[in-house]
Amino acid sequence: MQVSYNWLKELVNIDVTSYDLSEKMSTSGIEVEGVETRSEGLSKLVVGEVISTQEIPETHLNICQVNVGEDEPTQIVCGAPNIKAGIKVIVALPGARISGNHKIKKGKIRGVESLGMICSLQEIGFPENIVPKAYAEGIYYLPADAENGAEIFDYLEMNDDVLELSITPNRADALSMRGVAHEVAAIYDNKQVKFDEKVVTESDTKTSEKIAVDVTTDKVLTYKMRIIEGITVAPSPQWLQNRLMNEGIRPINNVVDVTNFVLLYFGQPLHAFDYAKFDEKKILVRQAENGEKLTTLDGAVRDLAAEDIVITVGGQPVALAGVMGGENTEITDSSTSVALESAIFDGTSIRKTSQKFNLRSESSARFEKGINHADVETALDYAAAMIVELAGGTITSGVVSSNDFVAQDVTVSITLDKINRALGLTLNSADVVAIFDKLGFTTAVSGETFAVTVPPRRWDIAIEADLVEEVARIYGYNNIPNTLPQAGNTIGELTGMQAFRRDVRTNLEGAGLSEVISYSLTTAEKAVQFTKLPTDNLTALAMPMSEERSTLRLNLISGMLDIVRYNLARGNDTLAVYEIGQVFAKFGNETDNRPTELPQVAIAMTGKGYDFYAAKGVVENMLVKFDNVRFEADQAIAELHPGRTARILVDALEVGFIGQVHPTTAKAYDIPATYVASLDLTALLEKQPAQVIFTDIPKFQASKRDIALLVDRVTTNQAILDVITSSKVKTLIKAELFDVYTGENVAADKKSLAYTLTFQSAENQLTDDEITAAVTKITKKLVEFGAEIR
């Protein structure tokens, strides 16, 4: 929003510089992005009157004699197509500075001396999109009463400072000069707004006899119209053109310019139709029909749809409501009567329509963000009276409206304690009431409770927090003291699961694994792999991004294998990775169909040096502080090798599994032999020892003995370990398998297992006889189990 500082000073009596004002506004809630003075950097630009012109043969150039207030005319060569004698123009004298810091010098053009330059508006810094169309391709004509030789800045109001406001969606009330004036009056003490009023003088002809209005859509809160007859369309006076251009709007004519002026002044969009072009004297506001077409003012044919709101006459669209008018009812130089529209259209609908057609306008922006409902008819009357002032004509009697709409005030209550606690202040009731008075709010005080009545012009205020923000803004953010929050000391600590996850992460990274993060969403097929969770009730997205990301996972491993494949394809052929994440399972709860999030940890290892035992060692190291950890052969998971898979138990509770990815599954993922494990963190946390008890480091040396056994091929390592443990040898502290042999000298249905037994006593150094007796006790148990000692 561009704000003319000179115009603003007419609405509120302020005596500060524009730069001081911009600083004050920025610190009170409406940011000023910058202040521009259009005359800055320009010099020696004066009014000149073209006395005569003479064409230079075989060129488009003219030799002009120009009166610039000196004794003799100044000769200037000009190529503008609209140059002619008798007009007042902008002249850059030798030594002048124009836009782009270009310096004008004396020179010769086609051998003819030129002592200056006749300028267009673009050449002195006006953007091309705001230059009146009549002068877009040529020079600009100044008012006939402009004084020859005088600087042009006052005539074009180029000495005015223009503030560029960055308006946030919650402060759309500042998208009007009146709204900005209210804001400036509030942030400066003892300032009052002063708005001019216009009196509507009506003829005896009733508006209702000229036009009828019917609204059939709930997207239009109200629709109002006036008729003005006998107008004369012409260029607007210089002051109005200047004001519009300083606000970034192109002047068109005295009727359209009034609607744009009122848009800036009130923030209320208006539209002027050529009333004589109406085929029927009835306006119907409705939703468009699919396939309807409308040629808008920019000459483009728009294909309408049911979500668009249209203004229709005789069944045909004449305007795209709140966005742009139609070409068939445009105000032109020949127009003699105006149907003037003022309405409240649904902001969401306007936004969708303007985005669809890429028609962003000053009007649509205001409907999208909101307008002051109380000014709908006030702005209409003001504009009608102003059109009569500038274009003549008469206003018919009365306003034709779709309903008896009246904007309502809003009352919001808040306590003094709430304000002070929220802001850390110690304001009293008088302080708060004074702030609300500055804002133009009415306050009823009952004890420490304020019932604040907010006018419709501040439609952004509806709850307590809004009032707190207003108090803070007007009091001054810089006046709020810096204080620490008053609260009792609290102890911050990790939850049990958070601490456990951190321990697991530290352990795995210490073992040389790298963390990865895979997608929680996968395909329905991959979601049910590598799991023993219920797979008959998956959680699928209603509108997935793709089929590959359509279902919440029930395992971590399938996503990790995708990561393994990705790395292998890029030359990283040795991988040891882990992931700690959530899987999502449904357990048939009839009252709550949401999935349960289950925390798990998974590892994947592939490449040279990694096998089943390497993966098992990583898991054993992770579970080193758990008691009674067991690995039992398992074939329940189809995606794992049936002969190289084990379930993991802690105190008979299954907490996970470890195994080699089945060759068929590995081929599907396009990966070599890969070993994986998955553990349930919730189950592990439940079994985690409550306290690790410190034990002294033994003072006596440990002793080791190796034994080799011949057992059936189907006998598992865990079964042998169970037998060794059942021998109840107190001095046995560890039994570890170090060799498995099948081949020559071993029967086809047998295998040889070799174990290292470690013995140690905390009380004395064990003798050979004691160790031999312990080994004998263990071997006796093994023989009873059916093992043959080799």
Side-chain angles (χ1 to χ4, degrees):
M1 169 79 179
Q2 292 181 333
V3 172
S4 162
Y5 184 58
N6 288 344
W7 190 4
L8 183 62
K9 288 195 293 184
E10 294 175 9
L11 306 179
V12 59
N13 183 25
I14 50 176
D15 54 2
V16 297
T17 68
S18 59
Y19 295 96
D20 290 338
L21 175 62
S22 68
E23 184 69 22
K24 184 76 170 178
M25 292 184 70
S26 294
T27 58
S28 66
I30 297 180
E31 182 183 356
V32 180
E33 292 188 345
V35 180
E36 179 187 6
T37 306
R38 213 178 291 279
S39 63
E40 188 173 356
L42 306 179
S43 64
K44 300 187 74 173
L45 297 174
V46 300
V47 177
E49 181 179 1
V50 180
I51 299 173
S52 66
T53 63
Q54 179 184 349
E55 292 185 359
I56 299 178
E58 298 182 356
T59 72
H60 68 287
L61 303 174
N62 287 274
I63 303 171
C64 304
Q65 301 300 322
V66 184
N67 180 357
V68 293
E70 298 177 353
D71 294 337
E72 297 292 332
T74 298
Q75 180 172 290
I76 300 175
V77 176
C78 177
N82 60 338
I83 189 70
K84 62 182 180 179
I87 59 173
K88 298 288 182 77
V89 293
I90 303 166
V91 176
L93 300 174
R97 294 281 179 180
I98 61 173
S99 181
N101 198 32
H102 294 297
K103 186 176 182 180
I104 302 302
K105 300 178 181 179
K106 296 179 181 180
K108 286 188 177 183
I109 301 175
R110 294 296 181 98
V112 178
E113 186 178 41
S114 182
L115 304 178
M117 176 180 180
I118 299 176
C119 299
S120 66
L121 289 177
Q122 297 95 313
E123 288 166 330
I124 62 172
F126 284 79
E128 186 172 349
N129 65 318
I130 69 171
V131 174
K133 286 186 177 180
Y135 307 113
E137 302 297 331
I139 58 173
Y140 185 73
Y141 297 171
L142 290 170
D145 61 354
E147 180 184 350
N148 295 339
E151 285 194 335
I152 56 94
F153 302 127
D154 288 337
Y155 290 104
L156 296 177
E157 291 191 42
M158 295 181 67
N159 289 321
D160 188 11
D161 294 333
V162 177
L163 286 70
E164 180 70 35
L165 304 188
S166 177
I167 305 298
T168 54
N170 67 311
R171 289 306 309 274
D173 61 288
L175 284 172
S176 70
M177 291 300 301
R178 290 163 68 105
V180 174
H182 278 294
E183 175 70 11
V184 172
I187 62 179
Y188 284 99
D189 293 335
N190 302 317
K191 301 297 180 184
Q192 298 294 324
V193 295
K194 45 181 180 179
F195 302 143
D196 64 317
E197 297 181 358
K198 293 191 181 294
V199 178
V200 175
T201 303
E202 300 176 332
S203 68
D204 294 334
T205 305
K206 293 182 179 180
T207 307
S208 57
E209 296 174 355
K210 292 286 186 178
I211 196 75
V213 169
D214 186 19
V215 176
T216 62
T217 172
D218 60 357
K219 302 296 185 182
V220 180
L221 193 58
T222 188
Y223 188 93
K224 299 177 182 293
M225 181 163 280
R226 276 192 177 276
I227 302 294
I228 308 163
E229 298 179 313
I231 65 165
T232 301
V233 177
S236 295
Q238 189 68 44
W239 72 265
L240 181 53
Q241 293 191 43
N242 291 343
R243 192 141 287 180
L244 292 178
M245 288 191 291
N246 280 342
E247 297 281 347
I249 294 179
R250 165 178 277 167
I252 306 294
N253 56 52
N254 51 2
V255 175
V256 177
D257 291 354
V258 166
T259 63
N260 285 328
F261 177 85
V262 172
L263 169 75
L264 296 171
Y265 189 33
F266 287 90
Q268 171 65 50
L270 304 174
H271 185 70
F273 299 94
D274 188 331
Y275 174 73
K277 295 177 181 177
F278 282 3
D279 295 332
E280 183 181 72
K281 304 313 178 186
K282 180 180 178 180
I283 291 281
L284 174 61
V285 186
R286 59 170 172 82
Q287 298 296 138
E289 297 176 1
N290 290 321
E292 275 191 305
K293 296 183 182 297
L294 170 67
T295 303
T296 47
L297 289 172
D298 57 0
V301 178
R302 310 291 177 179
D303 293 320
L304 307 180
E307 64 267 21
D308 302 319
I309 307 172
V310 289
I311 316 300
T312 66
V313 174
Q316 298 300 314
V318 295
L320 200 54
V323 179
M324 185 175 284
E327 191 177 59
N328 53 349
T329 56
E330 179 183 8
I331 297 292
T332 63
D333 291 346
S334 61
S335 299
T336 59
S337 57
V338 174
L340 192 60
E341 164 199 284
S342 183
I344 302 174
F345 298 116
D346 177 66
T348 301
S349 179
I350 300 303
R351 174 177 56 81
K352 290 179 178 178
T353 298
S354 63
Q355 286 183 337
K356 178 174 68 173
F357 293 120
N358 195 26
L359 281 176
R360 301 288 296 178
S361 65
E362 295 287 342
S363 294
S364 66
R366 284 162 174 79
F367 280 124
E368 290 174 25
K369 295 180 174 66
I371 60 175
N372 181 3
H373 291 178
D375 281 345
V376 179
E377 189 163 336
T378 305
L380 177 65
D381 290 346
Y382 189 100
M386 189 172 176
I387 288 174
V388 171
E389 288 179 7
L390 300 183
T394 57
I395 305 170
T396 58
S397 177
V399 174
V400 174
S401 179
S402 61
N403 54 37
D404 297 327
F405 171 80
V406 177
Q408 301 295 325
D409 295 342
V410 173
T411 300
V412 183
S413 295
I414 192 171
T415 64
L416 180 63
D417 180 63
K418 174 80 174 182
I419 294 172
N420 283 328
R421 280 192 296 107
L423 301 179
L425 299 174
T426 57
L427 300 176
N428 57 41
S429 293
D431 295 331
V432 175
V433 170
I435 289 174
F436 289 146
D437 286 345
K438 290 179 182 179
L439 290 163
F441 303 164
T442 303
T443 309
V445 182
S446 177
E448 288 198 349
T449 300
F450 306 100
V452 184
T453 301
V454 182
R457 65 177 175 80
R458 287 300 306 274
W459 62 91
D460 59 303
I461 297 176
I463 59 177
E464 285 185 340
D466 297 330
L467 293 179
V468 172
E469 181 182 7
E470 292 303 299
V471 172
R473 289 193 318 105
I474 305 306
Y475 182 78
Y477 293 119
N478 56 319
N479 295 324
I480 298 177
N482 296 322
T483 57
L484 292 174
Q486 298 296 318
N489 293 331
T490 58
I491 299 175
E493 61 179 349
L494 301 175
T495 65
M497 178 58 75
Q498 289 171 333
F500 184 54
R501 289 169 69 122
R502 181 172 293 184
D503 289 343
V504 170
R505 179 176 283 106
T506 301
N507 184 287
L508 292 175
E509 291 181 354
L513 279 72
S514 300
E515 184 175 15
V516 296
I517 300 175
S518 61
Y519 285 102
S520 296
L521 291 166
T522 184
T523 63
E525 294 75 21
K526 290 183 178 180
V528 299
Q529 293 179 341
F530 300 101
T531 185
K532 295 182 179 180
L533 294 170
T535 60
D536 55 346
N537 195 7
L538 298 177
T539 304
L541 298 187
M543 293 186 291
M545 296 182 293
S546 65
E547 288 298 323
E548 289 73 25
R549 301 284 178 259
S550 63
T551 308
L552 286 173
R553 64 189 179 188
L554 286 173
N555 73 92
L556 299 178
I557 293 175
S558 59
M560 295 180 69
L561 296 185
D562 287 333
I563 293 173
V564 169
R565 179 181 62 225
Y566 181 89
N567 280 268
L568 291 172
R570 286 154 180 79
N572 189 4
D573 56 2
T574 302
L575 292 170
V577 296
Y578 77 94
E579 179 175 5
I580 298 175
Q582 312 290 107
V583 299
F584 306 86
K586 290 184 178 180
F587 295 100
N589 188 335
E590 295 182 359
T591 60
D592 188 353
N593 196 38
R594 292 176 298 179
T596 301
E597 296 188 27
L598 305 173
Q600 292 189 357
V601 58
I603 68 170
M605 305 173 74
T606 187
K608 186 177 181 181
Y610 292 132
D611 56 15
F612 177 87
Y613 298 104
K616 183 170 178 282
V618 171
V619 174
E620 287 178 329
N621 186 56
M622 184 169 58
L623 302 179
V624 68
K625 63 182 179 181
F626 289 82
D627 298 325
N628 302 322
V629 177
R630 296 166 54 81
F631 295 83
E632 296 183 354
D634 188 51
Q635 298 182 7
I637 299 177
E639 291 78 25
L640 294 177
H641 193 299
R644 299 176 185 174
T645 301
R647 60 178 176 268
I648 305 168
L649 300 97
V650 176
D651 281 341
L653 174 66
E654 186 170 346
V655 297
F657 60 84
I658 182 173
Q660 179 183 340
V661 177
H662 196 288
T664 302
T665 304
K667 184 177 180 180
Y669 277 92
D670 194 20
I671 57 176
T674 301
Y675 303 89
V676 298
S678 178
L679 293 101
D680 182 347
L681 292 178
T682 303
L684 287 176
L685 182 61
E686 179 184 335
K687 288 296 183 180
Q688 183 177 227
Q691 185 177 7
V692 177
I693 301 174
F694 173 76
T695 55
D696 289 331
I697 298 174
K699 299 178 182 179
F700 304 100
Q701 185 176 353
S703 299
K704 296 183 179 181
R705 294 288 189 273
D706 292 341
I707 61 171
L709 316 173
L710 194 64
V711 296
D712 293 338
R713 279 269 182 120
V714 296
T715 303
T716 64
N717 171 58
Q718 188 62 54
I720 300 299
L721 292 177
D722 290 344
V723 172
I724 294 173
T725 302
S726 68
S727 65
K728 297 182 180 180
V729 175
K730 294 182 179 180
T731 56
L732 177 68
I733 61 171
K734 188 176 183 181
E736 186 175 17
L737 176 69
F738 70 86
D739 184 57
V740 179
Y741 176 74
T742 57
E744 190 176 352
N745 299 325
V746 175
D749 60 343
K750 299 289 185 179
K751 63 182 175 182
S752 176
L753 303 178
Y755 290 86
T756 295
L757 305 178
T758 303
F759 300 91
Q760 190 174 38
S761 172
E763 300 174 354
N764 59 283
Q765 181 65 49
L766 296 176
T767 65
D768 283 345
D769 291 341
E770 290 172 324
I771 296 172
T772 301
V775 172
T776 300
K777 188 175 181 180
I778 292 170
T779 55
K780 182 179 178 181
K781 281 285 186 180
L782 290 171
V783 170
E784 291 175 357
F785 176 72
E788 179 182 342
I789 309 300
R790 300 187 69 191

